[in-house]
Amino acid sequence: DVKVTQSSRYLVKRTGEKVFLECVQDMDHENMFWYRQDPGLGLRLIYFSYDVKMKEKGDIPEGYSVSREKKERFSLILESASTNQTSMYLCASSFTGGENTIYFGEGSWLTVV
Amino acid sequence: SQQGEEDPQALSIQEGENATMNCSYKTSINNLQWYRQNSGRGLVHLILIRSNEREKHSGRLRVTLDTSKKSSSLLITASRAADTASYFCATTREAAGNKLTFGGGTRVLVKP
């Protein structure tokens, strides 16, 4: 089975801190994604990557950056966390080609105080 | 604005009843997928329907797609308490590469 693992399930950080959310997938998927999920707003795409060292902005990239140094790992970085970044963050991955089914991690709940 | 919009936003039914939820989208798509999310967890893929398909079944799930109306429906037959979850439609648009765009979801409560 495909496994997408997010390193932290629950985090509490202070405003202004630098935050790293790590994600690893074990199925050699080319594509990886970071979404955030907020009540009433559904899932919104922050960034995605279709290859190592490649990244593209999603719908809400402001305040975030990403890193993909290895194929299996995709990191989301909050350079200076703010309270409006309190949310659930979901990592996902998929194969290029095929039918674009994506596989999600269990989510990381981030609270910025 | 979101590509997919689910309707209703919330649904409460008794065990054994059928649950139907709808998804509308705005632009041409390659395929449409439905995902399920248990409370506080990640999303799990349920079923995919291609743009040239009209209906698809998987177990107790039935999905329809009407590209002329830009809408899809998900039917869960003979619902169980374990079907309690949020259900999301997601579209892959022709012009958007591998990006999936999700709707806001339908929260389904199945009462035992």
Side-chain angles (χ1 to χ4, degrees):
Chain A
D1 283 350
V2 175
K3 194 164 179 66
V4 179
T5 303
Q6 295 183 228
S7 58
S8 302
R9 190 86 171 96
Y10 300 97
L11 306 94
V12 179
K13 297 292 182 181
R14 294 192 180 279
T15 300
E17 275 193 76
K18 190 169 185 176
V19 181
F20 292 86
L21 299 179
E22 306 286 347
C23 175
V24 176
Q25 50 94 3
D26 66 357
M27 282 301 292
D28 204 35
H29 285 168
E30 295 89 354
N31 307 310
M32 296 190 74
F33 308 84
W34 276 106
Y35 289 87
R36 69 176 277 178
Q37 184 176 21
D38 301 287
L41 296 176
L43 277 77
R44 293 179 292 167
L45 182 63
I46 304 171
Y47 267 97
F48 70 103
S49 168
Y50 52 88
D51 201 353
V52 175
K53 296 191 187 295
M54 306 301 288
K55 61 184 179 183
E56 285 197 27
K57 294 179 180 178
D59 300 318
I60 52 162
E62 297 78 17
Y64 303 94
S65 62
V66 290
S67 172
R68 192 158 181 210
E69 296 297 318
K70 294 184 178 181
K71 191 175 186 180
E72 68 270 19
R73 187 179 297 271
F74 192 35
S75 303
L76 180 69
I77 303 155
L78 287 66
E79 294 289 342
S80 178
S82 63
T83 55
N84 64 11
Q85 292 178 311
T86 291
S87 187
M88 180 170 180
Y89 291 88
L90 289 160
C91 176
S93 69
S94 72
F95 279 119
T96 295
E99 295 189 312
N100 204 30
T101 298
I102 68 173
Y103 298 86
F104 282 86
E106 286 293 286
S108 297
W109 290 91
L110 172 66
T111 301
V112 183
V113 297
Chain B
S1 61
Q2 297 179 58
Q3 166 75 335
E5 296 290 344
E6 283 92 340
D7 170 53
Q9 290 188 333
L11 182 60
S12 180
I13 56 174
Q14 292 294 136
E15 210 166 24
E17 293 180 344
N18 295 341
T20 301
M21 58 211 87
N22 304 296
C23 169
S24 60
Y25 57 92
K26 295 181 178 134
T27 60
S28 296
I29 60 172
N30 291 336
N31 61 53
L32 185 144
Q33 304 180 44
W34 285 91
Y35 286 77
R36 167 198 168 118
Q37 183 181 35
N38 288 348
S39 181
R41 310 298 292 272
L43 280 73
V44 176
H45 178 257
L46 291 176
I47 193 166
L48 177 149
I49 187 164
R50 299 183 186 91
S51 60
N52 61 354
E53 296 177 314
R54 293 297 166 258
E55 187 172 314
K56 200 162 183 180
H57 297 255
S58 176
R60 292 184 296 112
L61 305 179
R62 173 178 170 253
V63 170
T64 63
L65 179 65
D66 186 335
T67 52
S68 67
K69 295 181 179 178
K70 293 187 169 58
S71 68
S72 173
S73 67
L74 172 67
L75 168 68
I76 305 173
T77 60
S79 63
R80 305 167 182 169
D83 294 328
T84 294
S86 292
Y87 294 83
F88 294 85
C89 69
T91 54
T92 305
R93 287 175 282 161
E94 291 176 355
N98 292 315
K99 290 191 294 183
L100 273 179
T101 305
F102 286 83
T106 294
R107 296 187 310 279
V108 175
L109 171 64
V110 181
K111 294 179 280 188

